[in-house]
Amino acid sequence: MILRGASPAEVAAMLDWAAEEGWNPGLEDADAFARADQDGFFVAEKKSGLAAAISVVNHSPGFAFLGLYICKPKYRGRGIGLKLWSHALEHAGARTVGLDGVAEQQANYAKSGFEKTGATLRFEGPVPEVTCEGLRGVGPREAADLGQLDLLANGFLRPRFLSSWLFDTETRRTVVLDGPDGPVGFATARLCRDGCKIGPLIAPDAEAALALMSTVARALGQTRAILDVPGVQGAFCNRLVSLGWQATFETARMYRGTPPQPGHPETLFGVATLELG
């Protein structure tokens, strides 16, 4: 067995595997993911083909995020995935590493030093018809300013990821909310294998979050969407339920190392992606 970095084509194949697992990746995720850290994707290769895959994306000198951990069904139970897991984590070095883990794997992640700090709840439902003043499309040189809002909401910098993720493509749109002194929130929506996901969703309050959701989803012609909400946003979750949304999935947010300390965690209403944080 060979443990090695994944090629761009193999990163795309990893997302096909994710689709087969029901994770519903975005139609253009592969390029944006690879731009975040071209050395952060790994595969285990047997003579018969690829057996397992994982990503450990180094967002900054102090923080990395783990995702896309998949072992093909016929290779499970042989220790292949665990060997690849250990190999890929070496890429993070001494960085804190975060992940969003499904319930059945949390005990295994804990064996590798990951501790649960919260939850992420997936909601699906009709896009609300809400608007507010100050909404506009993203500008061509706004990654740094929006990155500061992302830092305050999440507690870590990820400039390479955002420099690709935030800008419009055929299947992805970003909408910005301006306040008196500049941007105070933003949301990105992307078309997925099934429907539309919104994330990140950063806003000063719930009403602004709903307005951003409405505008960015409709910019892609969508009237329904999927949103991964931090568990601490209990009141917002209740608001979504009142608007006809349903909780469909839950993961545990876990960290190995010192968890990030966001300055304004209350502004994070939607996670960008469970694969990269």
Side-chain angles (χ1 to χ4, degrees), residues 127-223:
V127 174
E129 294 187 16
V130 180
T131 189
C132 67
E133 294 184 358
L135 294 169
R136 60 172 175 82
V138 66
R141 296 180 179 85
E142 288 198 273
D145 289 342
L146 299 183
Q148 289 302 305
L149 293 177
D150 189 72
L151 170 63
L152 290 171
N154 287 289
F156 54 89
L157 285 167
R158 43 183 176 176
R160 292 188 304 271
F161 172 59
L162 293 180
S163 67
S164 176
W165 192 258
L166 296 183
F167 296 106
D168 292 352
T169 69
E170 184 176 347
T171 68
R172 194 168 58 240
R173 294 287 186 277
T174 295
V175 169
V176 177
L177 174 62
D178 280 330
D181 301 315
V184 295
F186 67 93
T188 298
R190 73 196 197 277
L191 298 181
C192 296
R193 307 292 177 99
D194 181 18
C196 164
K197 287 182 181 176
I198 297 173
L201 173 59
I202 295 171
D205 53 55
E207 284 302 314
L210 292 173
L212 281 163
M213 289 171 59
S214 176
T215 303
V216 76
R218 294 178 193 281
L220 286 173
Q222 301 297 299
T223 58

Side-chain angles (χ1 to χ4, degrees), residues 7-90:
S7 70
E10 288 166 340
V11 173
M14 290 165 68
L15 290 168
D16 289 337
W17 291 11
E20 292 170 3
E21 294 290 325
W23 297 355
N24 193 24
L27 297 180
E28 293 184 279
D29 281 1
D31 183 62
F33 283 10
R35 288 175 183 271
D37 180 0
Q38 62 181 1
D39 298 320
F41 298 82
F42 304 88
V43 293
E45 184 178 19
K46 300 281 286 182
K47 288 184 179 180
S48 53
L50 297 183
I54 195 172
S55 62
V56 177
V57 168
N58 291 341
H59 283 304
S60 72
F63 187 76
F65 205 87
L66 183 153
L68 290 173
Y69 183 40
I70 306 171
C71 188
K72 296 290 281 184
K74 69 178 181 179
Y75 296 108
R76 293 173 186 171
R78 304 185 190 181
I80 294 172
L82 181 58
K83 289 179 181 178
L84 182 62
W85 165 280
S86 299
H87 174 77
L89 275 173
E90 293 178 2

